[in-house]
Amino acid sequence: MVYLTRQEHFNAAHKLFNPAWTKEQNEAVFGVCANENWHGHNYDLYVTIKGKPDPDTGFLYDVKKLSQLIRKYVIEPLDHKNLNLDVPFMKDKMCSTENLATAIWHQLIDHLPGGVLLHCIKLYETPRIYVEYFGEE
Amino acid sequence: MVYLTRQEHFNAAHKLFNPAWTKEQNEAVFGVCANENWHGHNYDLYVTIKGKPDPDTGFLYDVKKLSQLIRKYVIEPLDHKNLNLDVPFMKDKMCSTENLATAIWHQLIDHLPGGVLLHCIKLYETPRIYVEYFGEE
Amino acid sequence: MVYLTRQEHFNAAHKLFNPAWTKEQNEAVFGVCANENWHGHNYDLYVTIKGKPDPDTGFLYDVKKLSQLIRKYVIEPLDHKNLNLDVPFMKDKMCSTENLATAIWHQLIDHLPGGVLLHCIKLYETPRIYVEYFGEE
Amino acid sequence: MVYLTRQEHFNAAHKLFNPAWTKEQNEAVFGVCANENWHGHNYDLYVTIKGKPDPDTGFLYDVKKLSQLIRKYVIEPLDHKNLNLDVPFMKDKMCSTENLATAIWHQLIDHLPGGVLLHCIKLYETPRIYVEYFGEE
Amino acid sequence: MVYLTRQEHFNAAHKLFNPAWTKEQNEAVFGVCANENWHGHNYDLYVTIKGKPDPDTGFLYDVKKLSQLIRKYVIEPLDHKNLNLDVPFMKDKMCSTENLATAIWHQLIDHLPGGVLLHCIKLYETPRIYVEYFGEE
Amino acid sequence: MVYLTRQEHFNAAHKLFNPAWTKEQNEAVFGVCANENWHGHNYDLYVTIKGKPDPDTGFLYDVKKLSQLIRKYVIEPLDHKNLNLDVPFMKDKMCSTENLATAIWHQLIDHLPGGVLLHCIKLYETPRIYVEYFGEE
């Protein structure tokens, strides 16, 4: 059993606000992150899969194919987008890094081949803040 | 003569579009960077000053004071903002990293004490793209 | 269940020596780290918490509040200090990175709000050496 | 119980090809990695051990001794070598990062002192691709 | 006048040896870098151009086009190749980082558009060793 | 003419204080950096030399020899030392990064071989603060 990780990245705009709250409540809780005109980040994404290497290739999974899967299901819908407005799978969710990492897990989980398990989504919002999701309830 | 550099960072939303052009022209030139709903970045900023160290302190300039100057004149107006909408000193300018680095130079140039010269503004838009401005015409 | 990590840093002096040993024994075991006039490091600290995000905010815990807790209970007592002389919670302990990471865990464990669990203290002594502590006996 | 990690690195040439396959099959599966004239990498290696710190030193294990073990059993046989041709412990194995990380585990597992357990081999092939092996079957 | 830098990377095998010397002379001068079975590196390449931004776009030069130029004239001929055997523009040259950086300059210098000047090729052989070439004789 | 850079590092304790001043003056100017019990840093050092590559080797200068020079004249006197107490070439100097970078230049300038010029000393005190010295008066 080995673990293989591929790093990808995307740039996006977002804001943190709860539509059930007033503007003042949002600013009290989210501070500058509630700026109505948006702000943004360079997100760094690490996707980790696990399983047994194929004896013919030595690969758990071809890392180029893993990269293509991540680009198709995660990077294309998110890169150079507004996370609150442009991304169907974030609709009606708070745009926190916690929720975004969890949503990325669900974007990928059904697209891995047999014998390859999704292990972890690790998402950096800034170089000093990151979230990990392992599929735990 | 020594050179002292301080790194700061800010997060912001922006888009690239020329209001004199049609939407199609903007998309042809700027691609995904023209997304009308914005995207964003974690910008890394390196400010370099030069001059002679003070014999009493060994400092060219107290790096804490340099950091305070950068925060007051650059980070506060830019951090968690929309560069196209919220920043007076970017008004009516194309929001490229080239223009942003040049504007940051002009924000700082008049606030350094005597004997301390501004040498370079280095601005990373992503970890793989950066612009430097040395005040050259 | 998600995991949220915040990175902080501090600079400190220390030395490695066991007061029950002779100077020669200390030098034999700790080498240059036993220099009686001290040496020092830029320590990088990663604090990981885990729990369920709040549906109203999308946050496991406000990362700004996490940062404030770490600064109050860990960074203020350690930053620009001598770990052997100035830090009450390191008194009478060997000043290894192993012991420092464990002590940082105990500084934080009682200050997290309900529903937020401390998961890991990861402490870099240099970019090539780090220790992790997960609260395991 | 604490975890201690030491980073080392080595540079090596390799190629990916299965001698049971034709040149065309190898190129179809491995692409540019099958270049018969080889390519190469700067590999970054993180070795993590776990156990209880010694009360007299505060050390789980002297990190200088850990570094010496890694250099003797891993770096010397691999550094500035051709992984397919020059490395006895990779003979007759596909030269994937998965297999290399597993082989490094087996190079080290018998050389750690009592009370020090090998926890993880983490091996970066490039800054964006890494494999972890925890000794799991 | 602004400076714009784009980072790209490639992986390659090489060895250092002077065909006019004996094997012993090569090993005395180049040490492990003379291994006849090759070794390799992840090379990091920074290409810096300079000039004046276009008022209509704010760009010195579209960084995507710069990336395409670098990929066409530098990365494609070098990536996953043997620098001594596979690269026409390194033929009959010693395969040092100094010579490789200089050769990359000459690959690019004729392909930049009017008004855009090549300023610097910066090439990392490892994270701790790099060469810069500014076109100076 | 090419430029070759080698990175080295050292760990050291220091404090900032002017013996001609009172304790209160020192604290007012240097803040926590004046802690009488010292603090410390992991210093990162980049030494850049320039000149023409030797046609027989392709090297400006053998980077292993450059590393040996830096270790002998700079790293050995500074690593795991107290910069104020243990370092002859910092005696009677304020222990700022500016002065330390300048002193490192003077440690190296007389030990380079003919045809190899010292170009720059770049010294990081923390990952966000660095000083460069080019030998300019």
Side-chain angles (χ1 to χ4, degrees), chain A residues 16 18 21 29-33 94 96-99 102 124 126-134 136-137, chain C residues 1-9 46 48 52-53 55-64 71 122:
Chain A
L16 293 174
N18 184 330
W21 293 350
V29 171
F30 297 120
V32 293
C33 298
M94 292 299 299
S96 68
T97 311
E98 288 90 332
N99 285 351
T102 306
Y124 281 78
T126 74
R128 298 176 63 191
I129 300 171
Y130 65 82
V131 165
E132 290 160 296
Y133 182 63
F134 296 87
E136 296 170 285
E137 287 306 307
Chain C
M1 174 81 84
V2 298
Y3 297 72
L4 172 67
T5 299
R6 171 70 187 180
Q7 186 250 331
E8 301 284 347
H9 57 89
Y46 293 76
T48 303
K52 285 183 185 297
D56 285 341
T57 60
F59 286 171
L60 165 56
Y61 186 47
D62 184 338
V63 77
K64 276 202 245 32
R71 288 177 190 227
K122 183 179 185 178

Side-chain angles (χ1 to χ4, degrees), chain A:
Chain A
M1 173 82 82
V2 298
Y3 297 71
L4 173 67
T5 300
R6 172 68 188 180
Q7 186 250 330
E8 300 285 348
H9 58 88
F10 57 94
N11 309 321
H14 81 144
K15 67 179 165 186
L16 293 174
F17 75 106
N18 184 330
W21 293 350
T22 65
K23 187 176 173 188
E24 288 70 26
Q25 282 175 300
N26 274 290
E27 286 177 353
V29 171
F30 297 120
V32 293
C33 298
N35 175 20
E36 64 186 345
N37 285 331
W38 320 97
H39 66 284
H41 299 289
N42 301 331
Y43 289 91
D44 260 323
L45 171 66
Y46 293 76
V47 175
T48 303
I49 57 175
K50 65 181 174 183
K52 286 183 183 299
D54 178 327
D56 285 341
T57 60
F59 286 171
L60 164 57
Y61 186 48
D62 184 338
V63 77
K64 274 202 248 28
K65 289 184 186 167
L66 177 59
S67 178
Q68 287 162 359
L69 278 183
I70 302 169
R71 289 178 189 226
K72 180 171 178 186
Y73 294 105
V74 179
I75 304 304
E76 277 185 35
L78 295 175
D79 190 36
H80 285 81
K81 294 289 165 57
N82 184 308
L83 301 180
N84 303 67
L85 301 180
D86 297 334
V87 182
F89 65 81
M90 289 302 290
K91 194 171 153 54
D92 299 327
K93 290 181 191 159
M94 292 299 299
C95 234
S96 68
T97 311
E98 288 90 332
N99 285 351
L100 187 55
T102 306
I104 289 170
W105 174 282
H106 291 292
Q107 282 296 105
L108 285 172
I109 189 73
D110 293 335
H111 298 292
L112 292 167
V116 175
L117 300 173
L118 188 56
H119 176 67
C120 182
I121 299 299
K122 183 179 185 178
L123 182 63
Y124 281 78
E125 180 182 297
T126 74
R128 298 176 63 191
I129 300 171
Y130 65 82
V131 165
E132 290 160 296
Y133 182 63
F134 296 87
E136 296 170 285
E137 287 306 307

Side-chain angles (χ1 to χ4, degrees), chain C residues 34-48:
Chain C
N35 175 21
E36 61 186 347
N37 284 331
W38 320 97
H39 67 285
H41 297 289
N42 301 331
Y43 289 91
D44 262 323
L45 171 66
Y46 293 76
V47 175
T48 303

Side-chain angles (χ1 to χ4, degrees), chain B residues 1-9 46 48 52-53 55-64 71, chain F residues 16 18 21 29-33 94 96 98-99 102 126-134 136-137:
Chain B
M1 174 80 83
V2 298
Y3 297 71
L4 172 68
T5 299
R6 171 71 188 178
Q7 185 250 330
E8 301 284 349
H9 59 90
Y46 294 77
T48 302
K52 285 182 185 298
D56 285 340
T57 60
F59 286 170
L60 165 55
Y61 186 46
D62 184 338
V63 78
K64 274 201 252 22
R71 287 177 192 226
Chain F
L16 295 173
N18 184 331
W21 293 349
V29 172
F30 296 120
V32 293
C33 298
M94 291 300 298
S96 68
E98 288 89 332
N99 285 351
T102 306
T126 74
R128 300 176 61 190
I129 302 171
Y130 64 81
V131 164
E132 291 160 297
Y133 182 65
F134 296 87
E136 296 170 285
E137 288 306 310

Side-chain angles (χ1 to χ4, degrees), chain D residues 111-132:
Chain D
H111 299 291
L112 293 167
V116 175
L117 300 173
L118 188 56
H119 176 67
C120 181
I121 299 299
K122 183 178 185 178
L123 183 61
Y124 281 79
E125 181 181 297
T126 74
R128 298 177 62 191
I129 301 171
Y130 64 83
V131 165
E132 290 160 297

